[in-house]
Amino acid sequence: AQSVTQLGSHVSVSEGALVLLRCNYSSSVPPYLFWYVQYPNQGLQLLLKYTTGATLVKGINGFEAEFKKSETSFHLTKPSAHMSDAAEYFCAVSGSLASNTGNQFYFGTGTSLTVIP
Amino acid sequence: ETGVTQSPTHLIKTRGQQVTLRCSSQSGHNTVSWYQQALGQGPQFIFQYYREEENGRGNFPPRFSGLQFPNYSSELNVNALELDDSALYLCASSSARGALAQYFGPGTRLTVL
């Protein structure tokens, strides 16, 4: 079974500071991992995904994440926070449906990022 | 390329009523998944439709049902609404049922009074 734990429901950083959002996963198979961002009153936008290959994944808006199998982690980072980064961030792991013919996402409970000017 | 659209944006219903939410998938996508996002929570998988058939279901009761049409648009129907059904309902489309990338619409905010 797959599951995701996001440590820290709220994170505050100063503008220009490092952003670090934590995600740990549990998966019985090699995981496919994702980070999504959700702005107020909007749907989810894909930031980046890890499937296979390089463990450091670069996404949009300067975000990146590193898959660490030994730590079962997929933390999201950005070197310098911008005011526009303030949003809700969700980590997700993809799992097969019971039919094995499709995929569903298992989401964490989200981390709300506040950027302080 | 048109993205995923959902209607209506907001909806208010009373307990016991029925509701239908609609989703138009992204151009070229034949698979639609529905998720329920309660306030302060991550989205929870409801079910997935592929080529007009249900392809998998999460832990939701039968009063949550769906349809997918030949143009791959989809409906989510919820009968006998309960207060706990109040949530943001998200539709996501993908190019195939096994595709890893799912593209989400803006959601429908349902309030049950």
Side-chain angles (χ1 to χ4, degrees):
Chain A
Q2 286 82 8
S3 66
V4 167
T5 300
Q6 291 184 242
L7 299 176
S9 58
H10 293 88
V11 170
S12 293
V13 299
S14 298
E15 190 174 17
L18 172 71
V19 176
L20 171 60
L21 305 183
R22 299 179 186 274
C23 173
N24 288 87
Y25 69 90
S26 172
S27 178
S28 56
V29 296
Y32 299 134
L33 296 158
F34 304 78
W35 276 98
Y36 280 87
V37 61
Q38 186 176 38
Y39 297 99
N41 301 313
Q42 294 188 25
L44 302 175
Q45 180 182 7
L46 180 65
L47 276 178
L48 49 80
K49 65 179 184 290
Y50 168 78
T51 54
T52 58
T55 56
L56 181 63
V57 180
K58 296 186 183 298
I60 63 172
N61 301 338
F63 284 95
E64 62 182 35
E66 186 171 11
F67 169 60
K68 292 186 176 181
K69 184 178 179 180
S70 61
E71 299 177 8
T72 61
S73 69
F74 191 57
H75 301 331
L76 181 71
T77 61
K78 181 174 180 177
S80 176
H82 191 272
M83 295 298 294
S84 61
D85 294 329
E88 189 85 14
Y89 291 80
F90 292 94
C91 181
V93 61
S94 175
S96 294
L97 295 172
S99 64
N100 285 323
T101 58
N103 290 309
Q104 69 171 92
F105 282 3
Y106 298 86
F107 286 89
T109 53
T111 297
S112 178
L113 176 64
T114 300
V115 181
I116 303 167
Chain B
E1 184 179 88
T2 305
V4 179
T5 60
Q6 293 186 243
S7 62
T9 306
H10 295 88
L11 203 53
I12 299 176
K13 292 286 189 179
T14 56
R15 194 169 46 181
Q17 286 189 310
Q18 178 267 341
V19 69
T20 297
L21 310 182
R22 294 177 176 82
C23 170
S24 291
S25 58
Q26 187 165 314
S27 177
H29 287 187
N30 58 20
T31 303
V32 172
S33 302
W34 285 91
Y35 292 81
Q36 180 196 65
Q37 186 180 13
L39 199 61
Q41 300 296 316
Q44 299 286 318
F45 176 72
I46 303 175
F47 44 55
Q48 182 179 88
Y49 276 83
Y50 169 70
R51 292 188 174 182
E52 304 179 57
E53 292 192 1
E54 188 178 290
N55 191 51
R57 190 178 185 90
N59 190 27
F60 280 81
R63 59 189 186 84
F64 285 79
S65 63
L67 283 173
Q68 188 179 31
F69 300 99
N71 66 354
Y72 304 132
S73 65
S74 177
E75 289 183 352
L76 165 65
N77 299 290
V78 187
N79 293 322
L81 284 167
E82 301 177 359
L83 298 179
D84 285 348
D85 296 333
S86 294
L88 180 69
Y89 288 85
L90 296 165
C91 166
S93 75
S94 50
S95 59
R97 54 187 174 179
L100 295 176
Q102 295 190 6
Y103 298 88
F104 285 80
T108 294
R109 174 72 63 185
L110 172 65
T111 302
V112 182
L113 302 176

Short mmCIF file of all heavy atoms in Angstrom, two decimals, chain A residues 32 34 36 38 41-44 51 90 94 97 99 101-105 107-109, chain B residues 33 35 37 40-43 45 48 55-56 88 90 97-100 102 104-106:
data_model
loop_
_atom_site.label_atom_id
_atom_site.label_comp_id
_atom_site.label_asym_id
_atom_site.label_seq_id
_atom_site.Cartn_x
_atom_site.Cartn_y
_atom_site.Cartn_z
N TYR A 32 6.46 6.20 -7.80
CA TYR A 32 6.46 7.37 -8.65
C TYR A 32 5.97 8.51 -7.77
O TYR A 32 4.90 8.41 -7.17
CB TYR A 32 5.54 7.19 -9.84
CG TYR A 32 5.93 6.03 -10.74
CD1 TYR A 32 4.99 5.12 -11.19
CD2 TYR A 32 7.26 5.87 -11.15
CE1 TYR A 32 5.35 4.07 -12.01
CE2 TYR A 32 7.62 4.82 -11.96
CZ TYR A 32 6.67 3.91 -12.39
OH TYR A 32 7.03 2.87 -13.19
N PHE A 34 5.40 12.78 -6.79
CA PHE A 34 4.98 14.03 -7.40
C PHE A 34 4.88 15.13 -6.34
O PHE A 34 4.61 14.86 -5.18
CB PHE A 34 3.59 13.88 -8.05
CG PHE A 34 3.50 12.77 -9.05
CD1 PHE A 34 3.38 11.45 -8.65
CD2 PHE A 34 3.54 13.05 -10.41
CE1 PHE A 34 3.29 10.41 -9.57
CE2 PHE A 34 3.46 12.02 -11.34
CZ PHE A 34 3.34 10.71 -10.92
N TYR A 36 2.68 18.75 -6.14
CA TYR A 36 1.70 19.64 -6.75
C TYR A 36 1.60 20.91 -5.89
O TYR A 36 1.80 20.86 -4.68
CB TYR A 36 0.32 18.99 -6.80
CG TYR A 36 0.13 18.00 -7.93
CD1 TYR A 36 0.49 16.67 -7.78
CD2 TYR A 36 -0.42 18.41 -9.14
CE1 TYR A 36 0.29 15.76 -8.82
CE2 TYR A 36 -0.63 17.51 -10.18
CZ TYR A 36 -0.26 16.20 -10.01
OH TYR A 36 -0.46 15.31 -11.04
N GLN A 38 -1.07 24.21 -5.03
CA GLN A 38 -2.46 24.67 -5.14
C GLN A 38 -2.57 26.09 -4.62
O GLN A 38 -2.32 26.33 -3.43
CB GLN A 38 -3.40 23.74 -4.36
CG GLN A 38 -4.87 24.07 -4.53
CD GLN A 38 -5.76 23.06 -3.82
OE1 GLN A 38 -5.45 22.59 -2.74
NE2 GLN A 38 -6.89 22.73 -4.44
N ASN A 41 -8.36 28.79 -4.15
CA ASN A 41 -9.51 28.65 -5.05
C ASN A 41 -9.13 28.14 -6.43
O ASN A 41 -9.80 28.45 -7.43
CB ASN A 41 -10.25 29.99 -5.18
CG ASN A 41 -10.75 30.48 -3.84
OD1 ASN A 41 -11.34 29.72 -3.08
ND2 ASN A 41 -10.49 31.74 -3.54
N GLN A 42 -8.05 27.39 -6.49
CA GLN A 42 -7.64 26.81 -7.77
C GLN A 42 -7.40 25.31 -7.62
O GLN A 42 -7.37 24.78 -6.51
CB GLN A 42 -6.38 27.50 -8.29
CG GLN A 42 -6.57 28.96 -8.66
CD GLN A 42 -5.37 29.55 -9.34
OE1 GLN A 42 -4.56 28.84 -9.97
NE2 GLN A 42 -5.21 30.85 -9.25
N GLY A 43 -7.25 24.63 -8.75
CA GLY A 43 -6.93 23.22 -8.74
C GLY A 43 -5.45 23.00 -8.50
O GLY A 43 -4.72 23.91 -8.11
N LEU A 44 -5.01 21.79 -8.72
CA LEU A 44 -3.62 21.42 -8.47
C LEU A 44 -2.79 21.58 -9.74
O LEU A 44 -3.22 21.17 -10.82
CB LEU A 44 -3.55 19.97 -8.01
CG LEU A 44 -4.33 19.62 -6.75
CD1 LEU A 44 -4.26 18.13 -6.48
CD2 LEU A 44 -3.78 20.39 -5.57
N THR A 51 10.00 9.59 -11.75
CA THR A 51 9.57 8.27 -12.18
C THR A 51 10.74 7.30 -12.11
O THR A 51 10.78 6.42 -11.26
CB THR A 51 8.98 8.31 -13.60
OG1 THR A 51 9.91 8.92 -14.49
CG2 THR A 51 7.71 9.15 -13.60
N PHE A 90 1.37 19.90 -2.10
CA PHE A 90 0.99 18.52 -1.84
C PHE A 90 2.01 17.57 -2.47
O PHE A 90 2.36 17.71 -3.64
CB PHE A 90 -0.39 18.21 -2.42
CG PHE A 90 -1.51 18.90 -1.72
CD1 PHE A 90 -2.00 20.11 -2.18
CD2 PHE A 90 -2.08 18.34 -0.57
CE1 PHE A 90 -3.04 20.75 -1.54
CE2 PHE A 90 -3.12 18.99 0.09
CZ PHE A 90 -3.59 20.20 -0.39
N SER A 94 2.13 7.72 -6.64
CA SER A 94 1.22 7.05 -7.55
C SER A 94 1.17 5.57 -7.23
O SER A 94 2.20 4.94 -7.00
CB SER A 94 1.69 7.24 -8.99
OG SER A 94 0.89 6.51 -9.89
N LEU A 97 -4.15 0.90 -9.40
CA LEU A 97 -5.49 0.54 -8.99
C LEU A 97 -5.59 -0.97 -8.83
O LEU A 97 -4.75 -1.70 -9.34
CB LEU A 97 -6.50 1.02 -10.04
CG LEU A 97 -6.60 2.54 -10.19
CD1 LEU A 97 -7.46 2.88 -11.39
CD2 LEU A 97 -7.15 3.17 -8.93
N SER A 99 -7.33 -2.98 -10.27
CA SER A 99 -7.41 -3.62 -11.58
C SER A 99 -6.06 -3.72 -12.25
O SER A 99 -5.91 -4.40 -13.26
CB SER A 99 -8.35 -2.81 -12.47
OG SER A 99 -7.80 -1.51 -12.70
N THR A 101 -4.77 -1.67 -14.01
CA THR A 101 -4.81 -1.07 -15.33
C THR A 101 -4.82 0.44 -15.28
O THR A 101 -5.01 1.10 -16.28
CB THR A 101 -6.05 -1.54 -16.11
OG1 THR A 101 -7.21 -1.18 -15.36
CG2 THR A 101 -6.00 -3.03 -16.34
N GLY A 102 -4.64 0.98 -14.12
CA GLY A 102 -4.66 2.43 -14.01
C GLY A 102 -3.90 2.87 -12.79
O GLY A 102 -3.38 2.04 -12.03
N ASN A 103 -3.82 4.15 -12.62
CA ASN A 103 -3.10 4.72 -11.48
C ASN A 103 -3.99 5.66 -10.70
O ASN A 103 -4.83 6.35 -11.27
CB ASN A 103 -1.87 5.51 -11.95
CG ASN A 103 -0.80 4.60 -12.49
OD1 ASN A 103 -0.41 3.64 -11.86
ND2 ASN A 103 -0.32 4.91 -13.67
N GLN A 104 -3.80 5.69 -9.40
CA GLN A 104 -4.42 6.71 -8.58
C GLN A 104 -3.33 7.37 -7.77
O GLN A 104 -2.27 6.80 -7.57
CB GLN A 104 -5.49 6.12 -7.65
CG GLN A 104 -4.92 5.24 -6.56
CD GLN A 104 -5.97 4.85 -5.55
OE1 GLN A 104 -6.61 3.83 -5.65
NE2 GLN A 104 -6.13 5.68 -4.54
N PHE A 105 -3.58 8.55 -7.34
CA PHE A 105 -2.63 9.27 -6.52
C PHE A 105 -3.04 9.19 -5.05
O PHE A 105 -4.22 9.29 -4.72
CB PHE A 105 -2.58 10.75 -6.93
CG PHE A 105 -1.79 11.02 -8.17
CD1 PHE A 105 -1.23 10.01 -8.91
CD2 PHE A 105 -1.60 12.33 -8.61
CE1 PHE A 105 -0.51 10.26 -10.06
CE2 PHE A 105 -0.88 12.59 -9.76
CZ PHE A 105 -0.33 11.57 -10.48
N PHE A 107 -2.31 11.32 -1.81
CA PHE A 107 -1.79 12.64 -1.45
C PHE A 107 -1.50 12.74 0.03
O PHE A 107 -2.18 12.12 0.87
CB PHE A 107 -2.80 13.73 -1.81
CG PHE A 107 -2.90 14.01 -3.28
CD1 PHE A 107 -3.79 13.30 -4.08
CD2 PHE A 107 -2.13 15.00 -3.86
CE1 PHE A 107 -3.88 13.57 -5.44
CE2 PHE A 107 -2.22 15.28 -5.21
CZ PHE A 107 -3.10 14.56 -6.01
N GLY A 108 -0.52 13.57 0.35
CA GLY A 108 -0.32 13.96 1.73
C GLY A 108 -1.36 15.00 2.12
O GLY A 108 -2.18 15.42 1.30
N THR A 109 -1.29 15.44 3.36
CA THR A 109 -2.28 16.40 3.86
C THR A 109 -1.93 17.83 3.53
O THR A 109 -2.69 18.74 3.82
CB THR A 109 -2.44 16.26 5.38
OG1 THR A 109 -1.15 16.34 5.99
CG2 THR A 109 -3.09 14.92 5.73
N SER B 33 -10.15 11.00 -13.65
CA SER B 33 -10.20 10.60 -12.25
C SER B 33 -10.87 11.70 -11.45
O SER B 33 -10.68 12.88 -11.74
CB SER B 33 -8.80 10.34 -11.70
OG SER B 33 -8.12 9.35 -12.44
N TYR B 35 -11.49 13.27 -7.48
CA TYR B 35 -10.95 13.31 -6.13
C TYR B 35 -11.83 14.23 -5.27
O TYR B 35 -12.36 15.23 -5.76
CB TYR B 35 -9.52 13.87 -6.12
CG TYR B 35 -8.50 12.97 -6.76
CD1 TYR B 35 -8.33 12.94 -8.14
CD2 TYR B 35 -7.68 12.14 -5.99
CE1 TYR B 35 -7.39 12.11 -8.74
CE2 TYR B 35 -6.73 11.32 -6.57
CZ TYR B 35 -6.60 11.31 -7.94
OH TYR B 35 -5.65 10.49 -8.53
N GLN B 37 -11.56 16.68 -1.97
CA GLN B 37 -10.62 17.35 -1.08
C GLN B 37 -11.40 18.09 0.01
O GLN B 37 -11.96 19.16 -0.21
CB GLN B 37 -9.73 18.32 -1.85
CG GLN B 37 -8.64 18.95 -0.98
CD GLN B 37 -7.75 19.92 -1.74
OE1 GLN B 37 -8.05 20.33 -2.86
NE2 GLN B 37 -6.63 20.29 -1.14
N GLY B 40 -8.66 21.49 4.45
CA GLY B 40 -7.46 21.20 5.22
C GLY B 40 -6.87 19.82 4.98
O GLY B 40 -5.94 19.41 5.70
N GLN B 41 -7.37 19.12 4.00
CA GLN B 41 -6.90 17.76 3.71
C GLN B 41 -6.35 17.67 2.30
O GLN B 41 -6.58 18.54 1.46
CB GLN B 41 -8.03 16.76 3.89
CG GLN B 41 -8.63 16.71 5.27
CD GLN B 41 -7.64 16.24 6.31
OE1 GLN B 41 -6.90 15.27 6.09
NE2 GLN B 41 -7.59 16.93 7.44
N GLY B 42 -5.63 16.58 2.04
CA GLY B 42 -5.23 16.30 0.67
C GLY B 42 -6.36 15.63 -0.08
O GLY B 42 -7.30 15.08 0.51
N PRO B 43 -6.31 15.66 -1.40
CA PRO B 43 -7.35 15.00 -2.19
C PRO B 43 -7.39 13.50 -1.95
O PRO B 43 -6.36 12.86 -1.77
CB PRO B 43 -6.92 15.31 -3.63
CG PRO B 43 -6.06 16.53 -3.53
CD PRO B 43 -5.35 16.39 -2.22
N PHE B 45 -8.91 9.88 -3.56
CA PHE B 45 -9.36 9.28 -4.81
C PHE B 45 -10.76 8.71 -4.67
O PHE B 45 -11.05 7.93 -3.75
CB PHE B 45 -8.37 8.19 -5.20
CG PHE B 45 -8.75 7.41 -6.43
CD1 PHE B 45 -8.67 7.98 -7.68
CD2 PHE B 45 -9.15 6.08 -6.32
CE1 PHE B 45 -9.00 7.26 -8.82
CE2 PHE B 45 -9.47 5.35 -7.44
CZ PHE B 45 -9.40 5.94 -8.70
N GLN B 48 -12.00 6.31 -11.11
CA GLN B 48 -11.40 6.64 -12.40
C GLN B 48 -12.25 6.03 -13.51
O GLN B 48 -12.74 4.91 -13.40
CB GLN B 48 -9.97 6.10 -12.48
CG GLN B 48 -9.24 6.45 -13.78
CD GLN B 48 -7.82 5.90 -13.80
OE1 GLN B 48 -7.57 4.76 -14.21
NE2 GLN B 48 -6.87 6.71 -13.37
N ASN B 55 -12.80 2.29 -14.01
CA ASN B 55 -11.53 1.56 -14.05
C ASN B 55 -10.92 1.35 -12.67
O ASN B 55 -9.85 0.77 -12.55
CB ASN B 55 -10.55 2.35 -14.93
CG ASN B 55 -9.32 1.57 -15.26
OD1 ASN B 55 -9.39 0.43 -15.72
ND2 ASN B 55 -8.15 2.15 -14.99
N GLY B 56 -11.59 1.80 -11.66
CA GLY B 56 -11.07 1.64 -10.31
C GLY B 56 -11.79 2.59 -9.38
O GLY B 56 -12.31 3.62 -9.82
N LEU B 88 -14.12 20.26 -1.83
CA LEU B 88 -13.76 20.63 -3.19
C LEU B 88 -13.62 19.34 -3.99
O LEU B 88 -12.90 18.43 -3.58
CB LEU B 88 -12.43 21.40 -3.19
CG LEU B 88 -11.90 21.87 -4.55
CD1 LEU B 88 -12.80 22.96 -5.13
CD2 LEU B 88 -10.46 22.38 -4.42
N LEU B 90 -12.35 17.57 -7.29
CA LEU B 90 -11.38 17.80 -8.36
C LEU B 90 -11.46 16.69 -9.39
O LEU B 90 -11.57 15.51 -9.06
CB LEU B 90 -9.96 17.83 -7.78
CG LEU B 90 -9.65 18.97 -6.81
CD1 LEU B 90 -8.37 18.69 -6.05
CD2 LEU B 90 -9.53 20.28 -7.58
N ARG B 97 -4.92 5.32 -19.10
CA ARG B 97 -5.28 4.90 -17.74
C ARG B 97 -4.03 4.60 -16.91
O ARG B 97 -4.09 4.68 -15.70
CB ARG B 97 -6.20 3.70 -17.76
CG ARG B 97 -5.70 2.52 -18.53
CD ARG B 97 -6.76 1.44 -18.63
NE ARG B 97 -6.35 0.36 -19.50
CZ ARG B 97 -7.08 -0.71 -19.75
NH1 ARG B 97 -8.27 -0.83 -19.20
NH2 ARG B 97 -6.64 -1.65 -20.55
N GLY B 98 -2.92 4.26 -17.55
CA GLY B 98 -1.70 4.01 -16.81
C GLY B 98 -0.76 5.19 -16.79
O GLY B 98 0.35 5.10 -16.27
N ALA B 99 -1.18 6.30 -17.34
CA ALA B 99 -0.31 7.47 -17.43
C ALA B 99 0.01 8.01 -16.05
O ALA B 99 -0.85 8.04 -15.17
CB ALA B 99 -0.97 8.56 -18.28
N LEU B 100 1.22 8.47 -15.88
CA LEU B 100 1.64 8.97 -14.58
C LEU B 100 1.24 10.41 -14.36
O LEU B 100 1.08 10.85 -13.23
CB LEU B 100 3.16 8.83 -14.46
CG LEU B 100 3.67 7.39 -14.45
CD1 LEU B 100 5.18 7.38 -14.43
CD2 LEU B 100 3.10 6.64 -13.26
N GLN B 102 -1.27 13.38 -14.28
CA GLN B 102 -2.68 13.72 -14.24
C GLN B 102 -2.79 15.23 -14.15
O GLN B 102 -2.10 15.87 -13.34
CB GLN B 102 -3.37 13.06 -13.05
CG GLN B 102 -3.38 11.53 -13.15
CD GLN B 102 -4.27 10.87 -12.11
OE1 GLN B 102 -4.98 11.52 -11.36
NE2 GLN B 102 -4.24 9.54 -12.08
N PHE B 104 -5.11 18.47 -13.42
CA PHE B 104 -6.28 18.77 -12.62
C PHE B 104 -7.03 20.01 -13.11
O PHE B 104 -6.42 20.98 -13.57
CB PHE B 104 -5.88 18.99 -11.16
CG PHE B 104 -5.54 17.72 -10.43
CD1 PHE B 104 -4.30 17.12 -10.60
CD2 PHE B 104 -6.47 17.11 -9.62
CE1 PHE B 104 -3.99 15.94 -9.94
CE2 PHE B 104 -6.17 15.92 -8.96
CZ PHE B 104 -4.93 15.34 -9.12
N GLY B 105 -8.33 19.96 -12.95
CA GLY B 105 -9.16 21.13 -13.16
C GLY B 105 -9.21 21.98 -11.91
O GLY B 105 -8.65 21.61 -10.88
N PRO B 106 -9.92 23.11 -11.99
CA PRO B 106 -9.96 24.04 -10.86
C PRO B 106 -10.85 23.58 -9.72
O PRO B 106 -10.78 24.12 -8.61
CB PRO B 106 -10.51 25.32 -11.48
CG PRO B 106 -11.31 24.84 -12.65
CD PRO B 106 -10.61 23.63 -13.16
#
